[in-house]
Amino acid sequence: MKHGPLAICYGTRPQVIKASMLIEASAKLWPLVTVDTGQHYDYSLNELFYEQLGVRKPDHFLEVGSGAHAVQTAHVLTRAATVFEAAKPRAVVVIGDTNSTLGCALAAVQLRIPMVHVEAGLRSNDRAMAEEINRRVVDSVADLLCAPSAAASAQLELEHQWGVIANTGDIAHDVLRRNLARAIAPANVKGWPLKAGEKFAIATLHRAELTGSAESLTAMIGALRGLPLPVVLPAHPRVRDALAKLGLTSGGMLHIMSPLGYFEMIGAIRDAAIVITDSGGVQREAYWMGTKCVTIRTETEWHETVALGANTLVAPARAGVELVPAVKKRLATDGTWDNGAYGAGDAAVRITDAIGAMVRARV
Ligand code: UD1
Ligand code: UDP
């Protein structure tokens, strides 16, 4: 097993994006086996990112698809275990806090394969959130915990985790640094609903707190329609379906469109006057690119963005009332902050160094 390949596992949009750099850095050092669980399967949430970011086709596509947490996690667990039994990887790398992360992590540790958690140590302290359960479980059994920040690393130390802790910085920063020059300006994006040069906000929503509450989502859409500037919402299928069910559409200042590719999205975040989001990835990309952000969450795992003055939180249930004033207030703030909380954008090398050290220590 110690000479086997390194397995890299992912399954959702942001994980394909982050895996792009991890795969590239790891392929220089070890034979790889790559596993896409298929949690996200639409072209615009999956294949598009392979194409844009030059990700090699996965060695295994598990075709897990959508489903209740238990069903999705169970399918990932059993199918990943079958792959690992055959491939005998020297270690398994999982990313983030999705059901794909949990399933692949459990499959590895149950087979006694060293497991590496990238994006370890983040906490929202919200037990109702599937992702909080996933990341705590994965951290508690990981052999190597790659923390994206000093605070995440300190959190893991505080919790006396079993595994080795490494403060590697955030791999999403590497991906952004690598690709920022390829960002596509909004006016060149197919279907962009505004005129070239028009000031705008970019919004993304996909979390259960909003998509699962007709009342909060209706109030949120009302607030987006009433913003003081046009807002473009590239809709994740989950919010698209929730909006359709409620008969909520574009109107007023709100323009709903299809999900964007990575180059289009980072171009939109870069050029927007403000970002409105419940996405972890989008919060950090705004933070790194110097774009103001309002996050529709009661808490954020990326609390440095708030502490450093880049991000304001608005609770989903209060967005109907508080979003417009929060956006106006944030727009009026000065737009500079220290954006070094998540490392220097060299996480891929730091992560592969830490994996190398872990594997050598076990030989
Ligand atoms: C998942 C992750 C979340 C992450 C997000 C990234 C969990 C519990 N959640 O949330 O942490 O932030 O991915 O985007 O793992 N759907 C499609 N096409 C697809 C995929 C999904 O139409 O290709 C629809 C289905 O109706 C599905 C719903 O979106 O039921 C939700 O998908 P799912 O993967 O369960 O959760 P996300 O909200 O995408
Ligand atoms: N993203 C994208 N197109 C979109 C929306 C998001 O390319 O229409 C990118 C975004 O730039 C970031 C990542 O997807 O890199 C964030 O993924 P998501 O919001 O789905 O998940 P989260 O980060 O909240 O887990």
Side-chain angles (χ1 to χ4, degrees):
M1 220 185 249
K2 67 188 182 200
H3 299 302
L6 181 76
I8 299 184
C9 307
Y10 50 92
T12 62
R13 167 170 67 189
Q15 290 170 331
V16 178
I17 293 169
K18 292 168 205 167
S20 68
M21 292 291 290
L22 267 183
I23 291 171
E24 185 188 295
S26 305
K28 293 180 188 147
L29 301 168
W30 304 289
L32 296 186
V33 55
T34 56
V35 180
D36 183 334
T37 67
Q39 178 172 343
H40 284 174
Y41 43 86
D42 285 355
Y43 172 81
S44 63
L45 292 193
N46 178 266
E47 226 180 307
L48 172 59
F49 299 94
Y50 280 84
E51 290 170 6
Q52 286 197 330
L53 299 171
V55 180
R56 59 186 236 177
K57 280 212 176 331
D59 298 310
H60 300 274
F61 187 71
L62 305 184
E63 293 185 60
V64 162
S66 304
H69 292 310
V71 175
Q72 203 171 45
T73 309
H75 283 151
V76 174
L77 172 59
T78 50
R79 292 174 198 183
T82 304
V83 169
F84 300 158
E85 274 171 326
K88 302 195 179 348
R90 68 181 73 195
V92 167
V93 181
V94 300
I95 310 167
D97 53 21
T98 68
N99 292 340
S100 294
T101 314
L102 177 63
C104 292
L106 286 179
V109 295
Q110 286 176 341
L111 291 166
R112 309 192 70 116
I113 301 167
M115 188 267 287
V116 181
H117 187 202
V118 171
E119 244 177 52
L122 299 172
R123 299 289 177 264
S124 68
N125 297 311
D126 177 1
R127 280 192 84 164
M129 201 183 168
E131 290 85 350
E132 180 70 1
I133 306 297
N134 292 347
R135 61 172 85 99
R136 282 177 184 255
V137 173
V138 175
D139 280 347
S140 70
V141 290
D143 295 86
L144 172 62
L145 300 111
C146 297
S149 66
S153 172
Q155 176 66 29
L156 294 166
E157 298 283 358
L158 200 71
E159 292 173 2
H160 301 290
Q161 296 294 352
W162 278 344
V164 171
I165 299 161
N167 177 4
T168 56
D170 186 351
I171 187 83
H173 194 192
D174 295 36
V175 186
L176 181 64
R177 273 166 49 103
R178 159 70 65 85
N179 292 291
L180 195 50
R182 301 170 78 186
I184 297 174
N188 298 328
V189 171
K190 195 167 160 244
W192 186 256
L194 308 177
K195 290 199 235 31
E198 202 173 345
K199 194 173 165 185
F200 67 95
I202 186 89
T204 77
L205 303 170
H206 72 276
R207 304 257 167 214
E209 290 78 357
L210 268 176
T211 55
S213 162
E215 200 185 329
S216 297
L217 186 58
T218 305
M220 176 74 198
I221 295 299
L224 290 173
R225 287 178 172 181
L227 282 178
L229 75 176
V231 54
V232 179
L233 172 69
H236 181 291
R238 188 159 171 177
V239 75
R240 178 199 65 204
D241 295 349
L243 294 173
K245 234 186 238 167
L246 296 168
L248 296 168
T249 55
S250 297
M253 290 300 200
L254 174 63
H255 303 265
I256 300 171
M257 68 180 298
S258 303
L260 296 175
Y262 183 72
F263 299 151
E264 291 84 348
M265 190 64 194
I266 59 174
I269 296 171
R270 181 196 61 195
D271 294 353
I274 191 161
V275 165
I276 300 164
T277 192
D278 58 8
S279 158
V282 173
Q283 279 174 69
R284 272 125 70 218
E285 285 160 354
Y287 165 76
W288 287 315
M289 287 192 270
T291 304
K292 298 164 186 178
C293 186
V294 172
T295 294
I296 313 302
R297 295 271 309 272
T298 47
E299 73 304 296
T300 176
E301 299 77 16
W302 306 98
H303 56 83
E304 295 87 348
T305 60
V306 176
L308 292 166
N311 194 3
T312 305
L313 296 181
V314 170
R318 303 283 311 154
V321 182
E322 292 178 8
L323 179 69
V324 173
V327 167
K328 286 184 180 161
K329 197 167 165 197
R330 177 56 58 192
L331 281 172
T333 58
D334 131 49
T336 54
W337 49 79
D338 163 12
N339 71 356
Y342 305 113
D346 57 355
V349 171
R350 287 170 176 270
I351 291 167
T352 50
D353 281 354
I355 294 172
M358 178 190 75
V359 171
R360 280 194 301 278
R362 286 175 171 261
V363 171

